[in-house]
Amino acid sequence: MNKKRLICGDKVLDLSRPAVMGILNITPDSFSDGGNLYSGSSVDLSKTLYAVEQMLTAGADIIDVGGESTRPGAAEVSEQQELDRVLPVVQGIASRFDALISVDTSTAEVIKQAAGLGAHMINDVRALQREGALAAAVASGLPVCLMHMQNQPKSMQDNPTYGDVVADVLEFLQQRKQICLDAGIASDQIVLDPGFGFGKTLEHNLALFAALDRFSDDGSAVLVGVSRKTMIGQLIDSTLDSTVDKRLVGSVTMALLAAQSLVSAGGSIILRVHDVLETVQALTVWQQVKQFQDREKQ
Ligand code: YH5
């Protein structure tokens, strides 16, 4: 059963309505907001905390801190580099804000140390497949998001192929979920994510999007990350792949559609977005209209 909440250490994330996860990219080279939290070659903590404050004021429910760029073509970072980027930021947020912090990492040591500093959730684009990651997640006692990715960021967009993309991705996530259950993570602490843009063509992404409700069939909350991604550009203009800064309205539209499809299926959703204010505004308007409509129907 979907309990409609996650137990995140000393905090609870309410999933009885769509939750918004604001993206905090602590990488010098990230895809849409690369390096904007950097001064020279190191993370600028005061700029970063200001960005966090902005997202919280705009209504973010979670802040997702990531120190590895996973955009198509990106090279891997070393463990030490990731630790150096992520830990001071997790510590800074935890000590200054009453915020729910998620860590976007696949690295066991980052999971361990971030949890020790007060992180509340583990978001892993490699679904805890790296050496030691599963054990570190179990030991943290925190909820986990398992994402599907075909191949690795460096080459994932070269020629992605599937038999049946929805069946293949569902099967992978169910397998990974079972492994987490066997390792002792509770079912209602596991979030599933089809991994939009991670080793997928536009066709693959659209097929997964149309089948979003199936990812919540077993009661799992679903995380959806489409914000500013290539698929939005392709949908807006298939010849030009409109540039990243023109993808705001498309991103918000897609977030709202994802929320609608999961909510009407009785599921829970976390939306991972760059544009927190705009996404929260769309969700709020929708919810108020829906409340009124539901009342009229009684
Ligand atoms: C996600 O979807 N994404 S970071 C591919 C792109 C553009 C942007 C051009 N972490 C997700 O934002 N975690 C990232 O194609 C994530 N789900 C979860 N759970 C990469 C990113 C991006 C990727």
Side-chain angles (χ1 to χ4, degrees):
M1 237 314 272
N2 182 351
K3 295 232 186 77
K4 302 221 180 274
R5 54 162 180 59
L6 291 178
I7 310 297
C8 303
D10 59 352
K11 296 191 192 302
V12 175
L13 176 64
D14 175 20
L15 290 177
S16 65
R17 54 172 186 82
V20 174
M21 172 185 270
I23 300 170
L24 195 70
N25 259 321
I26 313 298
T27 61
D29 58 348
S30 72
F31 153 74
S32 66
D33 43 8
N36 64 353
L37 301 176
Y38 272 68
S39 283
S41 61
S42 59
V43 185
D44 184 327
L45 195 59
S46 77
K47 262 191 208 171
T48 302
L49 294 174
Y50 180 71
V52 170
E53 188 177 17
Q54 297 279 84
M55 290 198 280
L56 292 172
T57 306
D61 301 292
I62 317 163
I63 305 295
D64 191 42
V65 182
E68 180 200 1
S69 172
T70 50
R71 78 186 149 84
E76 291 195 11
V77 288
S78 73
E79 176 181 297
Q80 194 54 51
Q81 223 167 8
E82 211 190 327
L83 288 165
D84 291 345
R85 289 176 186 176
V86 169
L87 297 180
V89 173
V90 169
Q91 183 164 40
I93 300 172
S95 65
R96 286 171 188 78
F97 301 102
D98 183 31
L100 235 143
I101 306 165
S102 138
V103 184
D104 191 344
T105 187
S106 303
T107 310
E109 202 53 34
V110 176
I111 295 174
K112 231 177 273 176
Q113 296 199 34
L117 291 173
H120 300 95
M121 179 174 173
I122 311 301
N123 171 27
D124 186 2
V125 299
R126 295 181 184 80
L128 303 175
Q129 293 181 99
R130 268 206 193 148
E131 177 101 44
L134 176 61
V138 172
S140 76
L142 299 176
V144 298
C145 176
L146 307 174
M147 198 197 79
H148 173 273
M149 166 163 61
Q150 186 177 83
N151 215 322
Q152 289 296 314
K154 207 164 180 50
S155 56
M156 66 189 177
Q157 290 305 107
D158 288 355
N159 181 28
T161 43
Y162 295 87
D164 172 334
V165 65
V166 174
D168 292 0
V169 172
L170 268 172
E171 185 186 58
F172 169 82
L173 291 176
Q174 279 155 5
Q175 270 174 18
R176 293 307 303 165
K177 180 170 180 173
Q178 189 57 52
I179 287 165
C180 289
L181 294 173
D182 294 343
I185 302 177
S187 178
D188 55 17
Q189 292 282 86
I190 301 172
V191 179
L192 303 181
D193 182 345
F196 292 102
F198 285 87
K200 282 133 193 140
T201 63
L202 177 60
E203 290 287 303
H204 296 143
N205 287 318
L206 287 174
L208 290 165
F209 198 85
L212 263 182
D213 56 329
R214 293 181 56 194
F215 291 83
S216 68
D217 276 355
D218 69 344
S220 299
V222 176
L223 194 146
V224 172
V226 291
S227 184
R228 298 187 190 173
K229 285 184 181 173
T230 300
M231 66 182 292
I232 305 283
Q234 290 168 325
L235 289 170
I236 297 168
D237 187 334
S238 58
T239 54
L240 287 175
D241 276 26
S242 75
T243 50
V244 173
D245 59 329
K246 302 244 174 69
R247 295 177 187 171
L248 169 64
V249 176
S251 297
V252 173
T253 303
M254 205 125 195
L256 192 67
L257 291 170
Q260 272 183 329
S261 95
L262 276 158
V263 169
S264 61
S268 297
I269 184 169
I270 301 172
L271 292 160
R272 183 180 179 278
V273 305
H274 297 88
D275 304 288
V276 172
L277 185 98
E278 291 82 354
T279 307
V280 168
Q281 188 176 106
L283 288 169
T284 306
V285 169
W286 168 54
Q287 267 155 346
Q288 295 196 40
V289 170
K290 186 172 178 298
Q291 246 179 37
F292 188 86
Q293 288 172 327
D294 292 349
R295 233 182 288 138
E296 292 289 292
K297 275 184 210 133
Q298 277 179 6

